[in-house]
Amino acid sequence: LAPDSDDAIRRHARAVELRYGLDGRGERTLLEVGKDLGVTRERARQMVLDGERCLASTPSCRSQMEGVL
């Protein structure tokens, strides 16, 4: 993720939030995440993976995502 892409960071954070039930409504399948975000299951998978990588690596990206989550 590019550090200045706030919208992308928000969308990736939302994908992680939905996938793992961080919103308190339970975990969702990739298909459900995709439907909620208006993307395919495959794109939802990619977004969750990118979000996980962001949280695990780049401090600036991680801090931006943690602000959203």
Side-chain angles (χ1 to χ4, degrees), residues 11-67:
R11 287 180 56 81
H12 286 82
R14 181 71 177 146
V16 171
E17 179 181 48
L18 293 171
R19 179 68 170 142
Y20 296 108
L22 302 178
D23 60 353
R25 294 178 24 203
E27 294 180 2
R28 292 181 183 80
T29 66
L30 291 171
L31 185 60
E32 292 168 327
V33 172
K35 284 183 180 181
D36 192 63
L37 297 176
V39 297
T40 64
R41 186 198 73 77
E42 175 59 20
R43 181 64 187 129
R45 183 192 67 78
Q46 293 168 357
M47 291 172 71
V48 170
L49 183 60
D50 287 346
E52 291 169 342
R53 286 180 181 153
C54 175
L55 286 169
S57 63
T58 312
S60 63
C61 184
R62 182 174 45 241
S63 66
Q64 287 178 310
M65 279 193 82
E66 288 171 348

